[in-house]
Amino acid sequence: MTNREDSNRKRALRDILSYEDTLTVDVENTVHKIRERAKTLHSELDMYVTNLLNQIKHKFEQELKKVRYTVEKLKTGDLSPRGKAMSRSSSLDRSPRYRSTPRSNIDFGLNTSRTSVRYGDVDEMHQFDKKEIHFFEGEASDKVFERLVGTYTFEATTPISFNAVQRSILADRKSEVKLVKTFKVGDKSETVHAIAPVEEDQAWICCGWGSRNLSLYDRHGQKRKTASLDIQVNDACTFHDGKEDAVLVSSFREKSIKRLNQESLRTSDFAYTSLFPGGLAADRRSGIYVCFRDSYQRQAIFGSRRMVAKLSKHGELGATVEKNEEQTNIFGYPFRIAVNMNGDVCVSDYGDGTRGVTILAKDDRSKELRVKCWYKGPPTGIGSDQPFLPHGIVCDEEGHILVSDWNNDCIHVLDRDGNFLLNLIGKKDGLEGPNALGLDKRGYLWVGDSHGVVRVFKYSVYDG
């Protein structure tokens, strides 16, 4: 078992144990609530039964009073409306049968003391209506108890990271990485911010923000030549214009894109814009994609212009992607850009509130680029101690998207739909502040860091 697999398993174990603790507390709280509800219902039920028995007792005593009064009248023969006045209570008291008969001595199960029956005036008697009492049992069904006691749900909410960790472990087992070469291209305080591979084993590299130089290095770290430009270099890419491979260079400060002749090392104008151009990439049909911004601010405020635009091979502005359907900015700080094998445009964005990778795809109907998905960083617990901070981005021939994470000193590998597969390269490989990425025609990955160093890797990822 590799150190990475062991670390991933430990993180998965922590997540599952944490879930067990949370689930236990959640269930205990639910059981407590159910028992408290049962106590409340018992109390309410006792009160209801007591009231019901009191009502029956009251009705019974009223009716019993009429019965005893009638018995008295019948015994004395005084059935006239204005009969001889007598003490009804004393007459009944002299009758042993009706003083306290077994039939009428009913125990209602109440804690109230019995009261003697006192007779008041009774309406003149013309007839005596007998009454019957009936008890209708209440419904005792699951639905009734659900309404009284309540119900519960046991449903999934947020998935824990075990599946993602397991996928990462499996991807680790199907990936190979080999460091081919490490070489310096600048001072320790300078950042490698542009790598544009050409030919089979060479790449144009710019090191140091504000630099006006592009140097051509081979895969073994040998500098072949240097082009001194009249612009400050932001990013560079190669594209085929139908006749030859050309190098395009964006200048953030001068708001221009230049074309570099690789033989004469001279530049010519390719495009001028009203916005600041940043990341550059070309597709297989000589279409060129550019990241544009209107300022250096990382947060897009109201009225800010942040977009991705497509240029023709002659530098003409074509389609742009800037707003979503709610007419708010899609991008905050679009930095670098790449085109996937299926034509999707992948943009690294480290703006405040929009940080991540945005993948754009053509809409089947309109043929315009729309947001397909976002990648906001790996699942919790997979080698990311700090917030995801994307910088360089490239796409390989297998459809993988590789993005450098400056904060966590690693290279993430995504599938073509933006799903995290694994961390391909990390601190153990010497990375510190990885920035620019480049892929040459033989599949070698060039990684430029924030200390003037370029590392070349040979890698394979088998995620099938």
Side-chain angles (χ1 to χ4, degrees), residues 83-100:
K84 181 180 178 181
M86 64 177 293
S87 174
R88 299 170 183 142
S89 59
S90 60
S91 175
L92 279 180
D93 288 341
R94 291 194 299 270
S95 175
R97 181 178 179 183
Y98 291 100
R99 184 182 301 273
S100 177

Side-chain angles (χ1 to χ4, degrees), residues 400-415:
H400 301 120
I401 304 167
L402 288 78
V403 56
S404 61
D405 184 350
W406 193 90
N407 267 357
N408 294 286
D409 305 315
C410 61
I411 307 298
H412 301 204
V413 180
L414 320 178
D415 65 19

